[in-house]
């Protein structure tokens, strides 16, 4: 048997080469990889010796040769193939170990130039991988160090690599080439004439890995699966660890994402309860228990069967409180042993641990410029994520009445929550908790009325509350509804042709109003 090894990342190669040699497999290699193998005291045949041609053009040409690709592509079951390779003195290659030039890592570096990127586009590697993977029945193609041990175990046990394993390796190989080519396309398609890179390349190449098939989609007659980014961000839902509970459904995952995105935006301990993609209760507190207790008060009816997220590890006291209600999914960065014990007897409750990165650094504190996508008929919408944070200094008071410091804090809290509520959004808040939420209505006036009705049903007084509207009030009627309900201050983007009418109404009603200058539609 012959093994050709040509890698950029040499992790585990010395051990692999020794194990293959001990199994009586001849080693063929290139450049730096051949030197590494030789330095281990192992016999290795240089590719140049096989082809009869030296490496040339700064290493750009070394494996692009009939004696390499003939050895990879020759089908052992076809006599005419075997006669051809025998006639031309071509040795068959049974194991191919290749990983590619680090293009993705290179272009991710600040200051990467086009020249740097081009020099890190691998040509020979992908060509060999495609040849070997196409001939998968005869060639085992290894493209990642995680595959080495499994192949060695099979070779040691049976002297060969099984057909099942070879096919899986071939699929992984083609996936790797696909992702590699997509990365090159993304980079080059995004380059502008001035050398900068656009957020939106001329061709968008989605690269996702399936995590699991789902029982069904939004409804039982729909099929569904859950995918994650090829390189998911730390602290994202796609890397969550399910500690217990039933299999996640399509709707569970969609609602869990809404809850997690909202709760992780708070710097202090917070709890978010979501039902049908909308927050029905949000609060901050000194600990998870207080945050949950306040969030639950907003809408106990909707909280039944909801999705609950914490941005701090859940302790036993918080778990005891949550366990008193029916919850579908419970998320936190971690769970104390006491919390796990509380839910051990509730086997159907899905517990998701979304671990923080090492050192406790939260990726969302870095202001990552993520991209949101939405499918439309035969197309896709792409936008930068709505991660705009508002500070006190940006608020513009437009009324005679000035908000108090306490009201300003409530306004900022309400504004943060409104960003995660479906448009049209109206959110009443006070003392770091939601008091009434109106979501997803065609009329902002109806959202305001619903928020007020929700508060009444929860037996919460809206007197002295702060209200956030995700977009401007087009008329004064919406403002009148929230003030009638008890609001004393309002935050809205402003920008309507009738802004002055709404400002005059606020002055007439004796409430404070601030403009954010930012809109938060969520469709």
């Amino acid at each position: 048997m012959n093994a050709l090894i040509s890698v950029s990342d040499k992790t585990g190669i010395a051990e692999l080469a020794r194990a293959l040699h001990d199994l009586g497999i001849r080693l063929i290699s290139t450049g730096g990889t051949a030197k590494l193998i030789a330095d281990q005291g192992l016999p290795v045949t240089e590719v140049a010796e096989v082809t009869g041609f030296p490496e040339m053009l700064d290493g750009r040409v070394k494996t692009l040769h009939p004696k390499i690709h003939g050895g990879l592509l020759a089908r052992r079951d076809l006599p005419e193939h075997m006669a051809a390779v025998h006639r031309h003195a071509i040795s068959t290659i049974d194991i191919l170990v290749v990983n590619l030039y680090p293009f993705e890592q290179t272009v991710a570096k600040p200051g990467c130039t086009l020249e740097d990127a081009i020099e890190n586009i691998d040509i020979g590697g992908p060509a060999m991988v495609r040849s070997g993977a196409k001939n998968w029945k005869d060639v085992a193609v290894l493209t990642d160090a995680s595959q080495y041990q499994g192949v060695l175990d099979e070779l040691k046990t049976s002297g060969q690599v099984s057909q099942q394993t070879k096919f899986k390796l071939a699929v992984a190989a083609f996936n790797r080439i696909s992702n590699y080519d997509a990365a090159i396309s993304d980079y080059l398609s995004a380059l502008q004439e001035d050398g900068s890179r656009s957020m939106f390349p001329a061709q968008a190449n989605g690269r996702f890995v399936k995590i699991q098939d789902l029982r069904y989609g939004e409804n039982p007659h729909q099929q569904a699966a859950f995918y994650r980014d090829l390189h998911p961000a730390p602290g994202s839902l796609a890397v969550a660890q399910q500690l217990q509970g039933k299999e996640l459904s399509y709707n569970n995952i969609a609602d869990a994402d809404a809850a997690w995105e909202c709760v992780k935006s708070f710097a202090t301990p917070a709890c978010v309860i979501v039902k049908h993609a909308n927050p029905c209760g949000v609060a901050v507190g000194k600990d998870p228990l207080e945050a949950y207790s306040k969030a639950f008060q907003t809408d106990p009816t909707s909280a039944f069967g909801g999705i609950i997220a914490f941005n701090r590890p859940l302790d036993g006291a918080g778990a005891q409180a949550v366990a008193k209600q029916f919850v579908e999914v419970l998320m936190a960065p971690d769970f104390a042993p006491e919390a796990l014990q509380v839910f051990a007897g509730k086997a159907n409750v899905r517990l998701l641990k979304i671990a923080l990165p090492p050192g406790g650094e939260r990726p969302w504190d870095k202001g990552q410029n993520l991209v949101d996508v939405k499918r439309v008929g035969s197309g896709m919408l792409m936008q930068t994520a709505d991660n705009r944070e508002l500070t006190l200094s940006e608020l513009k008071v437009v009324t005679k009445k000035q908000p108090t410091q306490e009201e300003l804090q409530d306004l900022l809290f309400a504004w943060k929550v409104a960003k995660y509520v479906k448009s049209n959004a109206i959110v009443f808040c006070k003392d770091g908790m939601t008091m009434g939420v109106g979501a997803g209505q065609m009329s902002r006036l109806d959202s305001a009325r619903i928020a007020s009705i929700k508060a009444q049903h929860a037996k919460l007084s809206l007197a002295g509350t702060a209200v956030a509207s995700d977009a401007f009030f087009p008329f004064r009627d919406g403002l009148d509804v929230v003030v009638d309900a008890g609001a004393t201050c309002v935050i809205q983007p402003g920008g309507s042709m009738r802004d002055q009418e709404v400002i005059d109404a606020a002055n007439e009603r004796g409430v404070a109003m601030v403009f954010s200058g930012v809109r938060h539609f969520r469709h």
Side-chain angles (χ1 to χ4, degrees):
M1 292 179 71
N2 295 311
L4 172 55
I5 306 175
S6 179
V7 295
S8 176
D9 179 359
K10 297 176 175 54
T11 302
I13 288 299
E15 296 80 4
L16 175 67
R18 183 167 298 281
L20 292 173
H21 171 72
D22 291 344
L23 290 166
I25 297 172
R26 177 190 177 209
L27 303 178
I28 305 168
S29 192
T30 61
T33 308
K35 182 179 185 303
L36 182 149
I37 294 172
D39 288 345
Q40 303 301 309
L42 301 173
V44 59
T45 302
E46 290 262 10
V47 162
E49 184 179 339
V50 173
T51 63
F53 280 84
E55 293 186 14
M56 62 181 72
L57 307 181
D58 298 320
R60 288 189 176 199
V61 178
K62 49 191 173 187
T63 58
L64 297 170
H65 194 280
K67 286 202 171 182
I68 298 300
H69 287 271
L72 290 168
L73 287 165
R75 287 180 54 177
R76 290 22 165 203
D77 62 334
L78 295 180
E80 58 270 32
H81 278 209
M82 300 313 294
V85 297
H86 179 73
R87 184 165 59 252
H88 296 287
I90 297 174
S91 297
T92 56
I93 297 170
D94 309 285
I95 298 172
L96 176 67
V97 185
V98 171
N99 56 55
L100 311 176
Y101 291 175
F103 179 84
E104 296 100 325
Q105 296 91 324
T106 298
V107 298
K109 295 176 182 176
C112 172
T113 65
L114 177 59
E115 183 179 359
D116 292 335
I118 294 298
E119 286 306 311
N120 277 277
I121 296 177
D122 203 330
I123 303 300
M128 288 192 293
V129 169
R130 291 177 68 88
S131 291
K134 176 174 180 173
N135 197 25
W136 63 269
K137 289 184 179 180
D138 297 314
V139 184
V141 182
L142 287 71
T143 52
D144 190 88
S146 64
Q147 301 165 336
Y148 299 169
Q149 191 57 54
V151 168
L152 287 174
D153 290 343
E154 288 194 18
L155 288 169
K156 291 174 183 178
T157 301
S158 63
Q160 61 183 357
V161 183
S162 70
Q163 290 286 285
Q164 183 181 23
T165 297
K166 285 179 181 177
F167 182 73
K168 288 181 178 178
L169 291 171
V171 172
F174 279 119
N175 286 344
R176 175 66 186 119
I177 298 303
S178 172
N179 289 326
Y180 192 74
D181 287 343
I184 296 170
S185 171
D186 284 344
Y187 174 81
L188 294 177
S189 295
L191 287 180
Q192 307 295 294
E193 290 185 4
D194 62 0
S196 63
R197 292 168 64 180
S198 169
M199 280 294 300
F200 307 108
Q203 177 170 312
N205 301 281
R207 286 171 283 161
F208 300 92
V209 178
K210 186 165 73 173
I211 298 176
Q212 66 188 91
D213 288 307
L214 302 174
R215 287 178 296 163
Y216 52 81
E218 273 186 298
N219 301 290
H221 61 273
Q222 295 172 270
Q223 296 178 317
F226 183 25
Y227 290 77
R228 65 164 172 79
D229 285 322
L230 189 63
H231 302 293
S236 61
L237 181 64
V239 297
Q241 177 186 2
Q242 185 169 351
L243 303 181
Q244 72 162 56
K246 297 188 297 184
E247 177 186 343
L248 288 165
S249 72
Y250 181 100
N251 292 329
N252 288 156
I253 295 168
D255 286 348
D257 183 62
W260 184 246
E261 289 302 308
C262 182
V263 80
K264 74 183 187 181
S265 68
F266 291 94
T268 55
C271 174
V272 174
I273 306 173
V274 161
K275 194 69 172 290
H276 296 302
N278 274 303
C280 60
V282 181
V284 294
K286 65 179 183 296
D287 54 31
L289 174 59
E290 183 181 20
Y292 167 75
S293 300
K294 292 166 66 177
F296 182 74
Q297 291 179 58
T298 304
D299 191 352
T301 301
S302 297
F304 180 85
I307 310 292
I308 301 178
F310 293 91
N311 65 351
R312 294 290 189 276
L314 184 60
D315 56 17
Q320 288 283 0
V322 173
K324 294 176 183 177
Q325 74 162 103
F326 170 46
V327 55
E328 287 274 5
V329 181
L330 179 59
M331 293 175 288
D334 205 352
F335 293 84
E338 297 82 4
L340 293 175
Q341 186 60 40
V342 168
F343 288 100
K346 296 178 177 289
N348 288 335
V349 177
R350 304 162 177 89
L351 298 187
L352 296 185
K353 175 183 174 181
I354 307 184
L356 299 177
E361 181 182 78
R362 303 187 308 170
W364 49 90
D365 284 339
K366 287 185 164 185
Q368 291 177 338
N369 196 13
L370 304 177
V371 173
D372 287 334
V373 297
K374 181 181 292 186
R375 285 302 308 265
V376 295
S378 298
M380 180 175 69
L381 294 171
M382 184 181 295
Q383 64 177 352
T384 56
D386 184 9
N387 53 17
R388 175 73 158 80
E389 294 292 334
L390 195 65
T391 62
L392 276 175
S393 62
E394 295 176 274
L395 299 182
K396 178 184 178 183
V397 180
V398 294
T399 51
K400 297 174 183 177
K401 183 179 179 182
Q402 299 287 313
T404 66
Q405 287 301 310
E406 291 76 12
E407 286 177 328
L408 284 171
Q409 291 304 317
D410 282 337
L411 287 170
L412 283 179
F413 177 85
W415 186 248
K416 188 181 291 286
V417 174
K419 184 169 77 169
Y420 298 98
V421 177
K422 295 287 187 179
S423 239
N424 287 307
I426 294 290
V427 180
F428 288 83
C429 295
K430 188 175 183 180
D431 298 331
M433 67 174 281
T434 49
M435 305 293 282
V437 179
Q441 299 304 304
M442 290 71 76
S443 161
R444 190 162 302 280
L445 186 62
D446 288 338
S447 289
R449 289 168 176 156
I450 289 171
S452 180
I453 292 170
K454 285 282 190 181
Q456 291 175 19
H457 286 175
K459 295 181 172 55
L460 294 175
S461 171
L462 296 182
T465 52
V467 168
S469 173
D470 64 339
F472 59 69
F473 286 101
F475 304 97
R476 69 166 290 168
D477 50 6
L479 177 73
D480 284 327
V481 170
V482 300
V483 175
D484 287 344
T488 58
C489 56
V490 176
I491 182 171
Q492 60 138 316
S496 168
M497 292 178 61
R498 292 184 172 86
D499 272 350
Q500 193 57 52
E501 173 187 324
V502 179
I503 293 170
D504 291 342
N507 285 327
E508 176 189 320
R509 301 298 301 270
V511 298
M513 179 182 289
V514 300
F515 281 2
S516 65
V518 179
R519 190 183 74 187
H520 280 312
F521 274 161
R522 186 177 181 87
H523 290 122

